[in-house]
Amino acid sequence: GYASNETPEFMPLPIILAHKLMKRRNELRKTGIIPYLRPDAKSQVSVEYENGKPIRVDSVVFGTQHDEDVSLETIKKDIIEKIIKPVCGNWIDEKTKYFINPTGKFVIGGPAGDSGVTGRKIILDTYGG
């Protein structure tokens, strides 16, 4: 990122929100509040700007490793209600789009899950779209 006056951290809002999503996710995983979460995860937040100022979160991409026996619907509900809404707060609205584990199950994580030349993880690893 780069220095910006958008946030108290002097970083652009999209990267700060993405970092805070991962921090909250890690807290909920370690405390057992969401017990099926596994270590690997990534997020991307796209923010709409007007006249150079952030006005709303347009979309959130959130990929999280999880236990094999958890339904995608449970994961989506928990991630939106327990992580995204508390972190993004007033930046989200009825038009915000959520992409939670958009490629389906994410059971194998870490280097074993990201090896190969498919580039399937690249878009989630960028700092903004």
Side-chain angles (χ1 to χ4, degrees):
Y2 52 87
S4 166
N5 63 2
E6 291 177 12
T7 64
E9 297 87 356
F10 298 108
M11 294 287 286
L13 183 62
I15 192 64
I16 289 299
L17 290 177
H19 286 177
K20 287 182 177 182
L21 289 173
M22 290 295 96
K23 183 177 181 187
R24 175 139 175 99
R25 180 209 167 273
N26 199 41
E27 290 167 357
L28 298 183
R29 180 180 77 84
K30 288 186 174 186
T31 59
I33 293 171
I34 305 180
Y36 58 80
L37 294 178
R38 306 303 302 146
D40 199 355
K42 55 265 310 158
S43 71
Q44 177 177 310
V45 179
S46 296
V47 172
E48 183 178 340
Y49 285 76
E50 192 171 280
N51 298 321
K53 302 282 185 194
I55 59 169
R56 60 181 288 277
V57 168
D58 178 70
S59 58
V60 178
V61 181
F62 196 101
T64 184
Q65 186 183 12
H66 56 84
D67 290 344
E68 191 166 7
D69 59 344
V70 181
S71 74
L72 188 54
E73 288 308 311
T74 297
I75 295 167
K76 286 181 180 181
K77 179 179 175 280
D78 284 346
I79 297 305
I80 291 170
E81 295 300 321
K82 296 177 181 175
I83 298 175
I84 297 173
K85 286 184 177 179
V87 168
C88 294
N90 293 331
W91 292 108
I92 58 176
D93 59 26
E94 68 282 347
K95 295 188 295 184
T96 300
K97 298 175 283 299
Y98 304 99
F99 302 95
I100 313 300
N101 283 16
T103 59
K105 286 190 172 201
F106 183 0
V107 176
I108 300 172
D114 295 325
S115 62
V117 294
T118 61
R120 62 187 152 187
K121 189 175 172 235
I122 300 302
I123 190 62
L124 289 169
D125 285 347
T126 63
Y127 290 169

